[in-house]
Amino acid sequence: MLRLDQATYDAIVAHAKRDHPDEACGIVAGPEGSDAATRHVPMINAAGSPTFYEFDSSELLALYKEMWAKDEEPVVIYHSHTATEAYPSRTDIGLANEPGAHYVLVSTREHGNSDGPVEFRSYRIIDGDVTEEPVEVVEQLTESA
Amino acid sequence: MAIEVRIPTILRTYTNGEKAVDADGATLADLIANLDGSHPGLGDRLLENGELRRFINVYVNDEDVRFEGGLAKELADGDVVVILPAVAGG
């Protein structure tokens, strides 16, 4: 299961709506081994595309160096689909290289940049196998959660 | 000569879980061959048809080698190499 605090959930949704019709992408980092998604980092989609996303290579290195310095890891890796459902594409599955991460897909196909609900789903992607998991949004992540 | 190579999580099965290993090489191509010698199979995860894989990023001293000569990039003692899979999808 993926547990997110409301503010992080809202920030991811807002990012996806803002970048629509291009795909939005980013991560939520957290302390290594904690599975706690505590630090939202929106990334630029270097592909600038409605059908593809890729973190800029220099920003990717800067992001990982920052995480290493803070003993963090990517707890959530998210991106949006802007015309299709919130399910990992074949490309998403082939390029999923963080076996410990929750892969979040947000679909903005229904309301685009406007207010209104989005599809927000989370998956584990390990060795090409996709397993959906529940998403729980809580007011705040607690220490024991 | 020792060059530190930072290994991403997904490839640590080749390094017994080590986050970083030492390797040698006058160029990046030599370094990868040397890495593959001590960690068999690792080279194939980095190369395809003799080129760096499209969705594997390699940095030498924080510079993406794609803009620095690629596999021909010359290395020196004390350089730091970081391997990071692209975060990308469709």
Side-chain angles (χ1 to χ4, degrees):
Chain A
M1 183 182 66
L2 171 63
R3 184 180 281 119
L4 281 178
D5 66 71
Q6 187 70 50
T8 302
Y9 176 91
D10 291 347
I12 292 172
V13 171
H15 183 201
K17 285 181 175 290
R18 191 165 66 240
D19 284 9
H20 182 94
D22 284 345
E23 293 192 6
C25 56
I27 72 154
V28 188
E32 247 178 79
S34 71
D35 203 35
T38 53
R39 189 166 68 88
H40 175 217
V41 187
M43 300 292 287
I44 290 168
N45 178 3
S49 160
T51 57
F52 196 74
Y53 81 96
E54 181 169 7
F55 290 10
D56 172 78
S57 94
S58 315
E59 291 190 356
L60 176 73
L61 178 64
L63 171 70
Y64 271 78
K65 287 178 74 168
E66 192 181 358
M67 288 194 288
W68 294 332
K70 295 179 173 185
D71 291 322
E72 288 177 335
E73 62 189 356
V75 177
V76 172
I77 298 175
Y78 72 89
H79 75 286
S80 62
H81 283 172
T82 58
T84 56
E85 69 173 323
Y87 190 87
S89 66
R90 199 177 303 180
T91 315
D92 294 334
I93 297 164
L95 293 177
N97 278 313
E98 285 289 0
H102 303 264
Y103 280 87
V104 164
L105 272 289
V106 178
S107 177
T108 54
R109 62 177 167 174
E110 204 174 345
H111 295 283
N113 307 107
S114 314
D115 288 344
V118 295
E119 296 164 55
F120 192 110
R121 297 165 68 180
S122 182
Y123 306 87
R124 296 290 191 165
I125 308 177
I126 298 168
D127 290 335
D129 287 330
V130 178
T131 311
E132 184 161 12
E133 60 182 359
V135 178
E136 186 188 11
V137 180
V138 295
E139 203 50 48
Q140 259 182 336
L141 294 180
T142 56
E143 285 297 319
S144 58
Chain B
M1 176 154 151
I3 294 166
E4 183 191 307
V5 184
R6 184 95 198 189
I7 305 293
T9 310
I10 190 88
L11 297 181
R12 287 180 198 157
T13 48
Y14 296 93
T15 60
N16 292 321
E18 292 293 325
K19 291 181 176 183
V21 297
D22 284 338
D24 290 329
T27 65
L28 181 59
D30 295 343
L31 180 94
I32 291 175
N34 179 259
L35 271 179
D36 192 62
S38 23
H39 310 283
L42 188 51
D44 191 49
R45 298 296 298 270
L46 307 179
L47 302 177
E48 187 173 43
N49 302 322
E51 297 292 332
L52 271 182
R53 287 181 180 271
R54 160 72 178 85
F55 292 108
I56 291 286
N57 296 323
V58 179
Y59 308 86
V60 175
N61 302 333
D62 294 349
E63 298 293 334
D64 187 333
V65 296
R66 280 201 181 77
F67 311 110
E68 301 265 314
L71 290 173
K73 167 77 177 172
E74 291 184 5
L75 302 176
D77 199 15
D79 281 351
V80 176
V81 174
V82 174
I83 299 168
L84 278 180
V87 179

